Structure formats: structure tokens, C-alpha cells
Amino acid sequence: MRHKENVLVFGELLLRFSSADEKFINKNHTVSLFPGGSEANVSASLGQLNVPVSYLTCVPDNALAANALTALSELGVNTSKTVLRGSRMGLYFLLSANGLSSGQVVYDRKFSSFSNLKPGVIDWDEMMKDQTWFHWTALTPALNENMAGVCLEALTAARKNGLKISVDLNYRNRLWDFGREPIEIMPELVKYCDVIMGNIWAANKMLGTGIDDTLDRNTSVVDYQEHSAKTAQEIFSLYPQCKHVANTFRFMDNPTHNLFYGAYHTSDGNYNSKIYETNEVVDRIGSGDAFMAGLIYGLISFENGTDIIETATGSGYQKLFVKGDFGDGSFY
């Protein structure tokens, strides 16, 4: 293994309510409650992989938030940087037990403690002391204009303090509802990043890279891999700071089916993972976040591009068999 990094992850800690009945409101059944959120999920996986990781979020000072933070702490995540302010946590409702059927998500994140953050509240220089890596996702600037400003503030500080920066291009159209399109916000933020993870469709939507509109479920793996390499080269050209690009490919033909593979690119090399397929999915929520954690772990631990993408993809695939948002830190 190569040298260790100290990873600082920034994002909203959420509570997930899952129902076994897609009608959700039914006097005859209960709901399951899990801590989650993309960035918390990444932190949980890194903690279990013994990567030094600190999670920075903003939550109210109440028992519900404390319980969720404790769950992260028990997985090896440092939560001491948490900002306590405001009066409510962000929530999301999954209208199935595990995202296996329609998996429709309803967000309740407006006016949460985190979404009410504004530039100038967090002392980023202080938060980044002794940190070497900063991770964020596109979910945060999707919340509102102020959060986009907070991200810019954080990224400017991370670059000034010499941290490596990674981003997950999580695209959720239900979140981008404050009058700005991702392409208006994300390029200014992504230009600071050394590592960009997502998929070819998110890169098109957020960064303006090209996309072939004929791509569909019947497109071959080889064709998708070639498109991934082409998208990566566009990203390297548009964002010179970026040295690593990874894309996931996930397809679902029925509620318990998942076809999963990944691609990793540098300016001079393209690496493709094994192809994983299962009809025994337990919980598909958080598989992309486990992939992201595996990618960070791979970049920290290995020189070889094949080892890096196999670690990331194996981590994402393994999450399909773990209940809740958090992965278990293992590779398939």
C-alpha cells in the first residue's frame, strides 16, 4: 500500500425513511429508518477501509442527529468537525424497501440546517488543517445558490491548502429546482478537481461533454467503454487540473437485477473493470457512493489503473448486498 491520506468529506447527513409498500402511508405497516446521504456513505466506507476520514456536515443539536453521527463514528469516521446549528435534518423518503422496484425518492431537504449554510459560516482553513484530500458531490450546489457559494469557498480553500480534490457528479433532477441549471454552476466548481467520478450522462448534463443519443440498454459494453474514454479525454481537455476520471455503468432489467461495471481513465491510459451481474440485489441505494469510496481507496493504495478500477467497481457491486445506505467497506 502507498502512503495514507487524510480525507475530509463535505455534505449533508440525511435520514432515509424506507417503506415496504409504495403507497407509503398505510396504517398496517411501518417504515425503516437509516442514516445516509451520498457523502456520509462515502465516509462510512472509507472509515471501514481504515482510511483516515473526517466528515463535515451541519445538523441541529438534537438526539436524532447525534444518533446518526454516532453510527458514523462507530464505523471509524471522525465527526468532530460537525457544525451544530439550525433546527432540522434533511430527509428523504424511498417509496420501496430498498430501491428495487420504482425506487422513487421524495426529498425533504429545504430549510434543513445544512441547506441553510451560507458563505462565511465555516472556517475552511481551520477545517482543512492536517487534511490532504477533500471530497464533495454535485448534490450540495444543487440545493440552492448559497450552497453553490459555500462549495466555491470550500474548493478555493482546498486548492490554497494543497489538498487533492475529488467530486462525484451525482445528478438528481428533483434537487436542481432553484432556477439554475447544473451546466451554469458545475464547471466553475469542477475546475478545481483532481478526480472526477460520475457517468457519461452526468458529465454531459453538468460539464457539457458530448453524448451519443443513440446509446441505450442494448448498446454493447465495448461501445460504452469507448464512449467513456472519449468523455474522459474531453474532461481532461476542459479541466486541466483533473488527472483521474472514472465512470460507472449500472443497468437494471427487473427489481432484483443489476449489471454493473466501471471504467477509469488517465490522460494516457484507459482501464475497464470486470463485468458484474446479479439477480439477488438487497439494496441498490449507495452503490455509487461505495464505488466512489473504493476509487479514493484505490487511488491512495495502488499505482496500477486496473487495480484502481477493480477496487472501485468491486466496492460498488458489494454494496448491492448490504441493507441501508452505508456499505460494509468490502470488495466483491
Side-chain angles (χ1 to χ4, degrees):
M1 177 178 284
R2 296 160 62 193
H3 66 280
K4 289 269 190 179
E5 300 276 359
N6 292 310
V7 182
L8 176 63
V9 181
F10 175 61
E12 184 165 20
L13 179 58
L14 300 173
L15 294 178
R16 161 184 155 184
F17 291 83
S18 305
S19 170
D21 183 341
E22 292 194 21
K23 294 180 181 178
F24 204 84
I25 299 173
N26 184 318
K27 66 181 180 181
N28 296 318
H29 79 269
T30 59
V31 298
S32 300
L33 176 63
F34 298 94
S38 177
E39 302 86 358
N41 299 344
V42 171
S43 300
S45 288
L46 289 175
Q48 292 173 91
L49 290 167
N50 296 315
V51 174
V53 57
S54 298
Y55 178 55
L56 171 56
T57 191
C58 179
V59 294
D61 186 4
N62 62 32
L64 202 58
N67 286 340
L69 290 168
T70 296
L72 281 169
S73 297
E74 290 174 347
L75 298 178
V77 179
N78 174 17
T79 62
S80 66
K81 295 179 183 291
T82 301
V83 177
L84 298 175
R85 58 183 286 157
S87 59
R88 67 178 300 262
M89 290 185 69
L91 314 174
Y92 81 95
F93 300 87
L94 181 63
L95 304 190
S96 68
N98 43 26
L100 296 186
S101 50
S102 69
Q104 183 179 353
V105 170
V106 176
Y107 290 106
D108 180 16
R109 300 176 67 166
K110 292 187 185 299
F111 312 112
S112 67
S113 294
F114 185 86
S115 69
N116 280 339
L117 283 173
K118 293 178 173 57
V121 171
I122 296 173
D123 184 342
W124 288 105
D125 289 334
E126 181 64 29
M127 292 295 184
M128 291 178 181
K129 281 183 180 176
D130 301 319
Q131 304 298 306
T132 63
W133 191 301
F134 180 71
H135 177 67
W136 64 290
T137 83
L139 296 171
T140 300
L143 296 175
N144 56 59
E145 197 89 43
N146 280 327
M147 290 309 305
V150 171
C151 286
L152 181 59
E153 186 180 61
L155 292 164
T156 303
R159 181 55 57 216
K160 181 184 73 173
N161 285 283
L163 280 68
K164 295 185 183 71
I165 302 173
S166 58
V167 64
D168 184 343
L169 300 179
N170 279 326
Y171 176 62
R172 304 289 184 271
N173 63 342
R174 293 184 184 93
L175 289 183
W176 289 91
D177 65 354
F178 64 95
R180 302 288 295 279
E181 290 296 319
I183 194 66
E184 299 177 69
I185 301 287
M186 290 300 295
E188 175 64 18
L189 303 177
V190 167
K191 72 180 185 181
Y192 292 91
C193 296
D194 304 282
V195 181
I196 298 174
M197 192 283 270
N199 60 58
I200 57 176
W201 298 277
N204 167 255
K205 188 76 175 178
M206 296 188 174
L207 306 182
T209 55
I211 194 74
D212 183 345
D213 291 332
T214 68
L215 297 173
D216 60 21
R217 178 65 181 89
N218 297 316
T219 301
S220 72
V221 171
V222 170
D223 285 345
Y224 271 125
Q225 290 169 338
E226 289 177 353
H227 200 299
S228 181
K230 182 179 178 181
T231 294
Q233 292 306 315
E234 283 191 72
I235 290 173
F236 292 137
S237 176
L238 291 168
Y239 304 94
Q241 181 65 38
C242 179
K243 301 297 185 291
H244 309 273
V245 171
N247 287 312
T248 59
F249 294 91
R250 292 177 281 171
F251 301 98
M252 155 182 151
D253 294 326
N254 61 63
T256 57
H257 173 266
N258 204 285
L259 177 67
F260 196 114
Y261 56 97
Y264 165 66
H265 311 278
T266 64
S267 59
D268 56 4
N270 301 304
Y271 307 89
N272 299 306
S273 77
K274 291 182 291 187
I275 298 167
Y276 295 91
E277 190 164 13
T278 182
N279 286 294
E280 299 178 353
V281 174
V282 172
D283 195 326
R284 67 178 75 255
I285 304 299
S287 61
D289 305 320
F291 179 100
M292 183 74 240
L295 178 65
I296 293 173
Y297 179 86
L299 289 169
I300 291 170
S301 304
F302 307 117
E303 298 277 1
N304 184 278
T306 299
D307 291 336
I308 291 168
I309 190 56
E310 292 294 0
T311 300
T313 308
S315 179
Y317 181 70
Q318 178 62 24
K319 171 59 192 70
L320 298 173
F321 309 103
V322 180
K323 187 68 176 170
D325 275 34
F326 295 167
D328 63 4
S330 63
F331 312 127
Y332 189 75

